[in-house]
Amino acid sequence: MPAFERYLSLWVALAILAGLGLGQVAPGIVNFLASLEYGSVNFVVAVLIWFMVYPMMVAVDFTSLARIHERPKGLVITLTVNWLIKPFTMAALGVLFFEVIFAPFITPGTAGQYIAGMILLGAAPCTAMVFVWSQLTKGDPNYTLAQVSLNDAIMVFAFAPIVAFLLGVTDISVPWTTLVLSVGLYVVIPLIAGILTRVALTRRAATRPEAEAAVEAFTGRVKPLSVLGLLATVVLLFGFQGEVILTRPLVIVMIAVPLLIQSYGIFALAYWAAKAWRVPHKVAAPCAMIGTSNFFELAVAVAIGLFGLNSIAALVTVVGVLVEVPVMLSLVWFANRTAHWFPAEETAIRTRSRTT
């Protein structure tokens, strides 16, 4: 691993400090960048996410997508954890911490909003950043795309009913602008760009190995842009919320505690299930990280719509964004160092290849 990537956690820590400093030194610039949004989707962050997602999208081979159904284990784990477990454990942790453990330290009557913010995060699995985490763990790009696409399709139908059930409200208004715009910006556009690039790279290749070598060489050259995009995104996110972090540190810490427990717990559950089921690491790591990471644009938009821009519920969803990057980087580190726990391919495929 290149030295720059080896010390990625250090660069992220410096980016966090830079973001907090930028928010204090140049609030006008930060506020201007924050205002460049529509439907709770910030266009500056969207461009940076393109840089992060693009290299993996170039690696997507559509001819292999047709065989994803032959390896269903990763999809089963992802869907089970994301839709049958994660929203309910997030709600349970919210009740435990804000109605019991932290109850003496928060304003009376506000526990419900803390819980609501956590539920909104728990019901929205990641759409964009998981491509970054998958790339950093050498995940299978085709399988990652299939996992994200299937989760997005389910989210269209399941998000509102799950949130309505857990919050006890029936008038949940799904911000379709945010949902459609985010999927379009973070998945569809980078995917189209990746397909066009892949076609251009492989057009003159005489054999499949030559085509794969051309794609691998190109993605190796552009991968530094992905890491730089991640660091710039961290600077902006912490710059946008720097004032809140510095003025309400105790509240931020209280919100972060159950979110950290949820994140590491969900990852452990999915990762252990993948290990027990002998899922290949290139599938296991992304499938565990999709549930760990959150679709924060959707969560923030719904929190603002239900409870208001300055509500505690909206603050919780924002803290979810701030917690996510350091947590996911620590899980990337862990996943890379435990790759030897997993087989190279699924058992069924290996067995079939021996008999042919």
Side-chain angles (χ1 to χ4, degrees), residues 132-156:
V132 182
W133 315 133
S134 179
Q135 181 179 334
L136 291 174
T137 55
K138 298 180 175 62
D140 183 332
N142 306 312
Y143 210 97
T144 302
L145 177 62
Q147 289 174 314
V148 170
S149 300
L150 188 54
N151 272 287
D152 285 347
I154 293 174
M155 190 171 357
V156 170

Side-chain angles (χ1 to χ4, degrees), residues 83 123 155-166 169 172-174 176:
W83 300 107
M155 190 171 357
V156 170
F157 302 100
F159 176 79
I162 289 175
V163 170
F165 172 74
L166 292 174
V169 288
I172 298 292
S173 177
V174 176
W176 294 105

Side-chain angles (χ1 to χ4, degrees), residues 180-192:
V180 174
L181 188 59
S182 295
V183 172
L185 288 176
Y186 299 152
V187 179
V188 177
I189 291 178
L191 180 59
I192 292 173

